[in-house]
């Protein structure tokens, strides 16, 4: 079977030649033009053998080193670069470093039970065409090695997907050079380094090597001057706190990963350079005196739109003997548009291209998927940096599913009788929950949107004359469409009161009342010092927990008001639809009083002046009938007449305007979409309001300076960081509404929007995060704290001409290749163990008067004079430190303060 991957036949021929001869691109260029022409001519006249790479020739590029046979499906990252047409593994300490002249292949296996696989190939701006072609071939081969289940991504330098960036939490570093340049950039020793990194970004940062000159600086960004044993961070006067914090973390990552924790970091505030005279001397000695004005801030690149409503689906088929691409649908898309016998291209408004490979598609169609996507981009004149994802049927990415109005998985439980299953995100209406189970499994609590068993305290107010008026407890649970209500729910967790403030807005309430409900919610929130979680509830879209707190007494009237002294219109007939199987999930909703409103799967109450009919559809259960009776007693004290579907008396149809067709399908089973949650950062730190998606998010991605939007499909959460500004909060609320309106899947505009404040997160929110740390907010470090931990930065001195720093004991120089590049790189530990440092960081000398480390632990009252008892761990050797505290010194420094103290207590050092 021939393979076409979207590169020229000439290039394919040359790749074949290189693979056969074991040549790299440089060696290939040395072959005479005559020889290459002869080879191409031979190939073109023997198409059955060579016109395109056959599968055998395709495999030849990998069989030489048996690499694919040794690749394990283990959770985490594995990275390779292309060298001499072969995949060469990148050492782990070099992850996150990318040479601009190279192409890389990144394999990520998730840590979830399914161990889903993503394969990325990264294209450096200076990489050659043959390297790019070889990388594409390897990605296809790697995909087939895993049975076609992985999702493939094409990443272009500077335009990487948020998913790709999420693998490198401390940021990406772009390095000059690559294979094609002969690796002239490789340093002879780990400390013989002089480079300048331009750091950009707040959530996902990148550090790009730029000219070591003042000309590279500007007022708005952060720069790292890396001198091997010292890293100096210069913060532009217009850079913000989050950018500075991320740059510090990147500097620490370079220190810990590339220098084994043995480099000093200093920080200069660009607006106060005079406060760091020693550090400025070092910068001037490297960069020279600064002349003239520094450049103005460079605006951040505008990220791609998070929601593109202009989504188109194209079918790719060779059924007619020719490969055809034709448009089949525009958004909102439905899953049934995808046919297993074909491949499809989904164009998300030109911002990204997704290719879906049906299980029954031909091998040619499947293998050429990435090439077709690249060709599609060229045909549409889209930028070369346009993102590409390739996936197989059954292995669709979460982003792909989000673009469809409905999506169901094979084997997914359906119907109203479904039960919950741990690990799946599904809306469940019919299952009772043990509150202890919810707290033991926070993810389940989040999925079911239940913070507890609804046994807490409830207070209800109605908006009257734009003020709050407390509602009579006897009428709790009765909500009128012409009113707005505030419902405060109080419950305890860890012996501390927690609050949820529901803002229920009637469909027919005036705009003044809706505005007043939001205003009064703020006042009530302030009364409780900002502790309540606010949930906006749209009439008819009541969350499960909201229903549960009224214990089966929730009745929603279409119009009217609950205000005393106001006479509501009393129609001759009112029809209520009752849904629920127990008091925690039951509500009665008024519907138009006509026969077409009936449904064979539910219970209905028809209230007239004379009687109340209790109508049971054939599809309802015994539990639903019991709840129907209970609601009927709440609505009226009149005698009830039970009516079975199909046996209705004539008196039943008269108030409904006569008999008419209604929904009578056997048990209407609603298929619930399984959508993975998505997190967005909402910030104006760059000077304008932007929403940026965070992939593979964790609690660490919640930024206290910003507002974060968490989309769980059934609910939208707005998480308010403690330091978020008022403008961000206001813009986030309106952006959440706009996000729903513009969603390409045609989302329900009534989806609940819940406001959550930092430090007061309910389990319905925290359950979407793996291993939520309730103590994080008391132990997290701010930029100022991170900066203070760097120590006395004024003591940094760098002898630029001192070659002794670059020599190993006993003479000779190291054999260090800059991280990220292929080649024979000795193990990180071997390399670092042979270097001595003037700062004593490897073998820390014990203070005078102290014989052994046991004295630090067992005899704290007999410590030598001048030793700080609260910093005893600093006097341990590296081996003693790791033995006592169970982690390396570098990893210890990354921990929050509370966690450090906890480890020190257990080790007897605190």
């Amino acid at each position: 079977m021939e393979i076409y991957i979207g590169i020229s036949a000439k290039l394919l021929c040359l790749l074949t030649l290189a693979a056969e001869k074991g040549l790299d691109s440089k060696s290939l260029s040395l072959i005479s033009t005559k020889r290459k022409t002869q080879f191409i001519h031979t190939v073109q006249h023997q198409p059955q053998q060579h016109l395109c790479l056959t599968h055998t020739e395709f495999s030849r590029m990998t069989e030489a080193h048996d690499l694919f046979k040794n690749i394990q499906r283990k959770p985490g990252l594995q990275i390779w670069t292309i060298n001499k047409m072969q995949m060469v593994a990148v050492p782990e300490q070099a992850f996150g470093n990318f040479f601009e002249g190279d192409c890389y292949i990144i394999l990520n296996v998730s840590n979830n039970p399914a161990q889903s696989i993503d394969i990325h190939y990264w294209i450096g701006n200076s990489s050659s065409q043959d390297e790019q072609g070889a990388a594409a071939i390897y990605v296809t081969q790697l995909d087939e090695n895993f049975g076609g289940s992985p999702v493939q991504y094409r990443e272009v330098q500077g335009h990487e997907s948020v998913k790709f960036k999420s693998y490198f939490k401390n940021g990406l570093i772009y390095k000059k050079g690559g294979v094609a340049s002969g690796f002239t950039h490789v340093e002879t020793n780990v400390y013989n380094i002089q480079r300048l990194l331009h750091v950009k970004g707040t959530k996902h940062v990148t550090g790009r090597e730029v000219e070591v000159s003042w000309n590279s600086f500007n007022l708005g960004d952060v720069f790292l001057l890396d001198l091997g044993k010292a890293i100096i961070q210069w913060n532009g006067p217009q850079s913000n706190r989050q950018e500075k914090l991320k740059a510090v973390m990147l500097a620490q990552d370079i220190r810990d990963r590339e220098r084994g924790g043995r480099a000093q970091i200093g920080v200069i505030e660009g607006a106060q350079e005079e406060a760091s005279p020693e550090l400025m001397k070092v910068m001037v000695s490297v960069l020279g005196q600064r002349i003239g004005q520094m450049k103005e801030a460079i605006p951040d690149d505008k990220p791609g739109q998070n929601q593109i409503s202009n989504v188109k689906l194209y079918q790719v088929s060779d059924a007619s003997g020719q490969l055809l691409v034709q448009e089949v649908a525009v958004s909102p898309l439905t899953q049934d548009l995808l046919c297993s016998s074909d491949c499809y291209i989904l164009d998300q408004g030109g911002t990204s291209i997704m290719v879906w490979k049906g299980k029954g598609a031909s091998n040619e169609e499947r293998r050429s998927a990435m090439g077709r996507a690249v060709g599609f981009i060229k045909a549409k004149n889209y930028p070369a940096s346009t993102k590409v994802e390739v996936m197989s049927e059954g292995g669709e990415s979460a982003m792909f599913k989000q673009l469809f109005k409905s999506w169901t998985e094979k084997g997914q439980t359906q119907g109203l009788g479904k039960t919950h299953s741990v690990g799946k995100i599904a809306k469940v209406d019919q299952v009772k929950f043990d509150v202890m189970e919810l707290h033991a499994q926070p993810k389940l609590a989040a999925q079911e949107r239940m913070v507890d068993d609804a046994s807490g305290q409830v207070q209800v107010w109605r908006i009257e004359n734009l003020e709050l008026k407390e509602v009579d407890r006897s009428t709790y649970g009765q909500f009128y469409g012409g009113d707005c209500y505030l419902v405060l729910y109080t419950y305890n967790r860890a012996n501390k009161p927690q609050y949820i403030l529901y803002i229920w807005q009637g469909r027919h309430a005036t705009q003044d009342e809706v505005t007043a409900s939001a205003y009064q919610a703020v006042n009530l929130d302030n009364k409780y010092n900002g502790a309540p979680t606010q949930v906006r509830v749209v009439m008819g879209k009541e969350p499960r927990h909201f229903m549960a707190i009224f214990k089966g007494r929730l009745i929603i009237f279409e119009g009217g008001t609950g205000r005393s002294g106001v006479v509501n219109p009393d129609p001759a007939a009112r029809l209520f639809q009752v849904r629920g199987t127990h008091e925690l999930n039951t509500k009665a909703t008024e519907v138009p009083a006509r026969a077409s409103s009936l449904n064979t799967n539910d219970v209905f109450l028809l209230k007239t002046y004379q009687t109340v009919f209790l109508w049971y559809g054939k599809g309802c259960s015994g539990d639903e009938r019991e709840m129907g009776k209970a609601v009927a007693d709440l609505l009226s004290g009149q005698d009830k007449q039970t009516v079975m579907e199909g046996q209705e008396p004539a008196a039943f149809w008269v108030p409904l305007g006569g008999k008419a067709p209604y929904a009578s399908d056997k048990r209407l089973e609603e298929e619930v979409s399984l959508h993975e949650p998505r997190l967005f950062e909402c910030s104006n730190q760059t000077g304008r309001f932007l929403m940026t998606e965070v992939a593979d998010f964790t609690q660490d991605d919640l930024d206290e300076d910003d507002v974060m939007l968490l989309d769980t499909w059934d609910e939208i959460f707005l998480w308010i960081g403690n330091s978020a500004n008022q403008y961000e909060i206001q813009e986030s609320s309106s952006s959440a509404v706009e996000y729903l309106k513009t969603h390409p899947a045609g989302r329900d505009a009534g989806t609940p929007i819940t406001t959550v404040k930092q430090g007061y997160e309910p389990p319905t929110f925290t359950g979407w995060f793996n291993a939520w740390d309730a103590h994080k907010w008391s132990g997290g470090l701010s930029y100022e704290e991170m900066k203070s931990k760097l120590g006395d930065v004024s003591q940094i001195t760098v002898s630029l001409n001192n070659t002794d720093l670059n020599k190993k004991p006993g003479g000779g120089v190291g054999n260090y290749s800059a991280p990220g590049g292929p080649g024979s790189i000795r193990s990180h530990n071997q390399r670092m163990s042979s270097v001595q440092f003037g700062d004593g960081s490897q073998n820390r000398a014990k203070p005078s008067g102290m014989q052994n480390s046991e004295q630090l632990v067992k005899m704290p009252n007999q410590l030598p004079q001048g030793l700080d008892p609260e910093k005893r761990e600093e006097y341990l050797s590296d081996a003693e430190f790791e033995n006592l505290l169970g982690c390396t010194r570098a990893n210890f420094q990354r921990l929050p303060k509370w966690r450090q103290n906890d480890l020190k207590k257990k080790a007897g050092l605190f």
Side-chain angles (χ1 to χ4, degrees):
M1 174 57 65
E2 294 183 341
I3 300 172
Y4 173 75
I5 59 168
I7 53 179
S8 70
K10 178 179 177 181
L11 178 56
L12 283 169
C13 296
L14 294 179
L15 284 173
T16 305
L17 174 61
E20 290 176 344
K21 302 298 183 183
L23 303 173
D24 62 4
S25 59
K26 186 176 181 181
S27 301
L28 186 63
S29 66
L30 299 177
I31 298 176
S32 68
T33 303
K34 181 179 180 182
R35 170 69 184 100
K36 286 188 283 191
T37 303
Q38 288 174 343
F39 182 82
I40 295 169
H41 178 78
T42 302
V43 167
Q44 290 175 338
H45 286 81
Q46 297 178 12
Q48 72 278 13
Q49 297 177 25
H50 288 289
L51 181 56
C52 291
L53 288 176
T54 66
H55 196 261
T56 301
E57 293 164 338
F58 180 33
S59 301
R60 190 179 302 158
M61 297 176 68
T62 60
E63 289 176 349
H65 48 66
D66 291 327
L67 180 63
F68 289 107
K69 297 177 183 178
N70 297 323
I71 294 176
Q72 299 178 355
R73 186 170 180 155
K74 59 181 181 181
L77 280 182
Q78 299 175 65
I79 303 179
W80 299 267
T81 189
I82 305 300
N83 186 14
K84 296 182 179 179
M85 298 301 171
Q86 292 187 346
M87 286 169 60
V88 178
V90 173
E92 189 171 343
Q93 70 266 23
F95 285 7
N97 293 275
F98 294 90
F99 286 107
E100 297 182 342
D102 289 345
C103 290
Y104 291 78
I105 295 171
I106 296 89
L107 172 68
N108 181 63
V109 181
S110 70
N111 206 19
N112 58 35
Q115 288 197 330
S116 56
I117 301 175
D118 295 297
I119 302 173
H120 306 252
Y121 81 96
W122 184 90
I123 301 171
N125 287 341
S126 304
S127 61
S128 64
Q129 284 293 318
D130 54 348
E131 286 177 312
Q132 295 177 24
I137 291 175
Y138 278 123
V139 166
T140 303
Q141 188 77 346
L142 189 57
D143 178 77
E144 291 188 351
N145 184 65
F146 287 106
S149 62
V151 178
Q152 302 172 39
Y153 301 82
R154 175 179 175 267
E155 310 283 357
V156 177
Q157 179 184 340
H159 302 274
E160 296 86 355
S161 65
V162 290
K163 188 175 189 67
F164 182 86
K165 291 179 180 178
S166 72
Y167 302 146
F168 310 99
K169 293 295 184 183
N170 290 317
L172 301 173
I173 297 178
Y174 301 143
K175 291 173 171 284
K176 296 290 185 183
V179 173
S181 66
F183 281 94
T184 56
H185 60 291
V186 175
E187 308 297 342
T188 58
N189 193 284
V190 68
Y191 293 104
N192 188 16
I193 291 173
Q194 188 178 107
R195 63 176 178 174
L196 182 64
L197 295 177
H198 181 185
V199 182
K200 287 189 72 69
T202 54
K203 183 57 63 178
H204 299 296
V205 298
T206 58
R208 183 169 59 89
E209 284 189 11
V210 293
E211 180 189 359
V212 184
S213 163
W214 284 116
N215 293 330
S216 299
F217 285 70
N218 68 70
L219 297 172
D221 291 327
V222 180
F223 294 81
L224 297 180
L225 181 61
D226 184 1
L227 302 173
K229 271 191 66 70
I231 301 171
I232 301 176
Q233 175 174 329
W234 185 90
N235 298 326
Q238 297 172 23
S239 60
N240 61 59
R241 184 171 57 175
Q242 183 65 10
E243 290 171 326
K244 297 174 185 177
L245 174 62
K246 287 293 185 179
V248 168
M249 294 174 68
L250 178 60
Q252 289 183 332
D253 188 54
I254 295 171
R255 177 195 66 189
D256 297 340
R257 212 153 39 86
E258 297 187 24
R259 316 288 151 74
R262 298 175 177 91
Q264 292 176 286
I265 300 173
V267 178
I268 299 174
E269 297 297 342
Q272 299 175 311
E273 292 181 338
E274 66 279 1
S276 307
E278 295 298 322
L279 294 179
M280 284 303 300
K281 284 181 183 177
V282 175
M283 291 196 70
V284 170
S285 69
V286 177
L287 304 170
Q289 289 292 340
R290 190 168 60 216
I291 302 173
Q293 295 294 319
M294 196 171 290
K295 289 183 289 190
E296 288 298 317
I298 299 173
D300 289 309
D301 294 334
K302 184 176 181 179
Q305 291 176 262
N306 296 311
Q307 296 302 320
I308 303 295
S309 55
N310 183 25
V311 175
K312 294 183 179 181
L313 185 68
Y314 297 83
Q315 184 182 41
V316 182
S317 175
D318 62 355
S320 63
Q322 290 183 324
L323 200 63
L324 299 175
V325 178
Q326 62 184 74
E327 182 178 327
V328 293
V330 295
S331 62
L333 305 176
T334 55
Q335 190 178 358
D336 57 7
L337 291 168
L338 302 173
C339 177
S340 293
S341 61
D342 290 319
C343 291
Y344 293 83
I345 292 176
L346 192 151
D347 180 3
Q348 193 177 3
T351 61
S352 70
I353 302 298
M354 301 181 183
V355 183
W356 184 88
K357 302 181 293 185
K359 291 180 178 178
S362 69
N363 288 335
E364 196 279 337
E365 287 177 313
R366 294 171 61 82
R367 288 183 181 138
S368 64
M370 184 67 77
R372 297 302 174 200
V374 174
F376 183 87
I377 289 171
K378 291 179 179 177
K380 287 279 190 176
N381 290 319
Y382 290 156
S385 59
T386 302
K387 298 176 181 64
V388 177
E389 290 183 31
V390 178
M391 66 209 71
S392 295
E393 182 178 358
E396 296 85 357
S397 67
M399 290 295 294
F400 184 80
K401 297 176 188 176
Q402 286 270 353
L403 300 175
F404 289 77
K405 190 171 180 63
S406 60
W407 191 275
T408 56
E409 303 287 356
K410 185 178 180 181
Q412 176 183 329
T413 306
Q414 300 177 358
L416 300 177
K418 58 185 176 294
T419 59
H420 74 271
S421 58
V422 178
K424 288 196 173 183
I425 301 172
K427 185 179 178 182
V428 181
D429 290 325
Q430 305 300 319
V431 184
K432 277 192 176 182
F433 289 94
D434 180 349
V435 67
M436 296 309 295
E437 183 183 12
L438 291 175
H439 287 293
Q441 301 183 62
K443 189 172 184 180
L444 184 62
Q447 290 165 0
E448 306 312 327
R449 297 157 65 190
M450 292 285 286
V451 298
D452 67 349
D453 60 357
S455 61
Q457 298 179 354
V458 184
Q459 286 179 276
V460 183
W461 296 269
R462 183 171 40 248
I463 300 297
E464 294 189 15
N465 299 320
L466 308 185
E467 299 292 335
L468 286 182
K469 175 69 179 295
E470 194 158 358
V471 172
D472 190 308
R473 285 191 171 271
S474 65
T475 62
Y476 274 17
Q478 297 179 26
F479 291 83
Y480 291 83
D483 291 329
C484 290
Y485 299 81
L486 297 186
V487 179
L488 181 66
Y489 179 77
T490 307
Y491 65 105
N492 285 313
R493 193 172 74 209
N495 295 321
K496 289 179 63 178
Q498 308 286 326
Y499 308 95
I500 299 177
L501 180 58
Y502 291 104
I503 308 164
W504 191 95
Q505 298 170 340
R507 187 179 294 120
H508 305 293
T510 66
Q511 188 56 49
D512 286 344
E513 289 172 326
V514 171
T515 303
S517 68
Y519 173 76
Q520 294 296 346
V522 172
N523 290 341
L524 199 56
D525 182 86
N526 291 336
K527 183 179 178 182
Y528 287 88
N529 297 318
T533 295
Q534 294 183 35
V535 183
R536 180 179 71 98
V537 179
V538 176
M539 178 177 171
K541 300 289 182 181
E542 291 76 17
R544 177 178 181 130
H545 186 261
F546 183 86
M547 293 192 289
I549 62 179
F550 294 105
K551 307 295 189 296
R553 303 173 66 88
L554 182 58
I555 302 174
I556 299 173
F557 296 90
E558 174 60 27
T561 177
R563 302 175 192 176
S564 57
V566 178
V567 179
N568 290 312
D570 190 12
R574 305 187 88 155
L575 185 65
F576 295 86
Q577 182 178 23
V578 182
R579 281 188 166 174
T581 55
H582 51 79
E583 65 178 17
L584 295 183
N585 68 357
T586 297
K587 71 173 178 179
T589 307
E590 186 173 6
V591 295
R594 49 179 178 262
S596 58
S597 298
L598 298 174
N599 186 313
T600 192
N601 300 298
D602 293 323
V603 175
F604 286 81
L605 301 175
L606 176 60
K607 186 177 182 297
T608 68
Y609 293 141
Q610 293 77 27
T611 187
V612 174
F613 293 99
L614 192 56
W615 185 86
Y616 295 143
K618 292 178 180 179
C620 67
S621 66
D623 288 338
E624 290 171 320
R625 295 176 187 178
E626 288 300 314
M627 293 312 301
K629 291 178 185 178
V631 174
D633 290 337
L634 290 172
L635 273 174
S636 173
Q638 298 171 265
D639 291 337
K640 288 36 170 219
Q641 181 177 346
T642 300
V643 176
M644 305 299 294
E645 182 181 8
Q647 303 175 20
E648 301 88 351
F652 175 80
W653 296 112
V654 171
L656 297 176
K659 195 171 183 178
Y662 57 86
S664 56
D665 293 342
K666 184 179 180 181
R667 178 52 73 177
L668 296 173
E669 297 184 337
E670 297 181 4
E671 298 181 349
V672 182
S673 298
L674 297 180
H675 291 280
E676 294 196 19
R678 302 171 71 186
L679 184 70
F680 297 88
E681 177 188 32
C682 309
S683 173
N684 71 339
Q685 289 187 356
T686 60
R688 55 201 172 98
F689 185 81
L690 299 172
M691 282 179 63
T692 309
E693 184 161 10
V694 182
D696 291 333
F697 60 84
T698 65
Q699 185 182 359
D700 290 332
D701 292 311
L702 297 176
D703 189 339
E704 65 178 342
D705 287 330
D706 291 324
V707 176
M708 311 295 293
L709 183 148
L710 177 65
D711 179 9
T712 67
W713 196 265
D714 290 321
E715 190 167 10
I716 300 288
F717 289 95
L718 284 176
W719 181 88
I720 312 295
N722 286 338
S723 301
N725 60 55
Q726 196 58 40
Y727 177 78
E728 288 174 329
I729 296 173
Q730 293 172 353
E731 285 296 309
S732 299
S733 298
S734 58
S735 294
V737 176
E738 190 66 19
Y739 170 85
L740 287 171
K741 284 182 181 178
T742 60
H743 199 285
R747 295 279 289 280
D748 187 343
T751 301
I753 298 176
T754 300
T755 302
V756 175
K757 296 183 182 65
Q758 179 181 340
Y760 299 96
E761 298 87 354
T764 46
F765 177 82
T766 61
W768 297 104
F769 294 81
N770 188 32
W772 180 270
D773 181 2
H775 302 286
K776 176 178 174 60
W777 307 130
S778 59
L781 296 178
S782 66
Y783 163 67
E784 287 75 15
E785 291 169 326
M786 289 277 283
K787 182 178 173 181
S788 66
K789 284 186 64 175
L790 299 176
D792 187 2
V793 296
S794 65
Q795 298 303 311
I796 290 183
T797 56
V798 179
S799 178
L800 299 175
N801 299 315
N802 184 2
T803 55
D804 291 339
L805 286 175
N806 304 323
K807 293 183 179 179
K808 296 187 294 183
V813 294
N815 185 26
Y816 177 78
S817 294
S824 58
I825 302 177
R826 292 182 299 145
S827 80
H828 182 65
N829 292 333
Q830 285 179 325
R831 198 168 61 240
M832 301 312 301
S833 63
S834 62
V835 183
Q836 287 292 126
F837 300 94
D839 61 5
S841 57
Q842 180 185 1
N843 295 309
R844 296 170 185 266
K846 292 186 171 54
S848 174
M850 194 182 82
Q851 280 71 42
N852 55 60
S853 59
E854 290 186 2
Q855 187 179 347
L856 287 169
V857 179
K858 296 183 178 179
M859 294 179 285
N861 296 326
Q862 301 178 27
L863 297 175
Q865 188 174 5
L867 189 149
D868 188 344
E870 293 188 2
K871 296 182 179 179
R872 285 178 275 164
E873 73 280 1
E874 294 183 2
Y875 303 96
L876 296 170
S877 68
D878 288 350
E880 291 169 337
F881 188 100
E882 191 163 349
N883 185 48
L884 270 176
L885 293 160
C887 64
T888 65
R889 200 180 298 271
N891 287 337
F892 179 81
Q893 292 300 325
R894 293 192 187 101
L895 297 173
K897 195 69 176 175
W898 69 268
R899 180 63 176 146
Q900 291 181 1
N901 292 339
D902 185 55
L903 289 177
K904 286 165 63 175
K905 284 179 183 177
K906 292 176 180 177
L909 292 170
F910 192 76

